[in-house]
Amino acid sequence: MAVTWQGVPAQYQQALTQVIDGRDGGIDGQVQVAFQQTPGLAIERDGDQGMVTYHSEADLLRAATLWLGRAKTETAFTES
C-alpha cells in the first residue's frame, strides 16, 4: 500500500519525498496536487482519492503532512 502523489512540480518533488518518506504506511490512495493563487492550503479525501492545493512550497509540505496524518484514521475529510 502506498499513496501516489500526482501533479507535484519537479522543483518540489525531492522535498516532498523527504517529508513523507515512510509516513504513508497502511494508506492506499491517489492524491492530486494543485497550485492555488490565494495563500494557504486545502486538503480533502474521499476513499482512495485525495486532493491537496497549495500556494507555496511550505504550504505543500504542510498540506501533505496534514493529509497523511488525517488519512491514517479517516477515509473522508475536507479542510481548508
Side-chain angles (χ1 to χ4, degrees):
M1 293 185 175
V3 176
T4 302
W5 299 84
Q6 296 186 325
V8 179
Q11 70 265 31
Y12 301 147
Q13 188 65 54
Q14 184 177 3
L16 181 65
T17 299
Q18 289 177 339
V19 167
I20 65 173
D21 190 35
R23 292 180 173 83
D24 63 353
I27 305 169
D28 194 22
Q30 187 173 19
V31 180
Q32 289 295 121
V33 176
F35 176 78
Q36 65 183 21
Q37 293 293 328
T38 56
L41 58 91
I43 60 171
E44 61 183 69
R45 181 181 188 194
D46 186 11
D48 66 352
Q49 298 297 308
M51 181 76 171
V52 166
T53 57
Y54 69 96
H55 179 73
S56 67
E57 181 181 9
D59 289 338
L60 172 58
L61 300 178
R62 182 167 183 257
T65 303
L66 291 170
W67 193 94
L68 286 170
R70 291 197 57 183
K72 288 181 187 253
T73 59
E74 301 174 62
T75 58
F77 54 82
T78 301
E79 181 179 330
S80 55

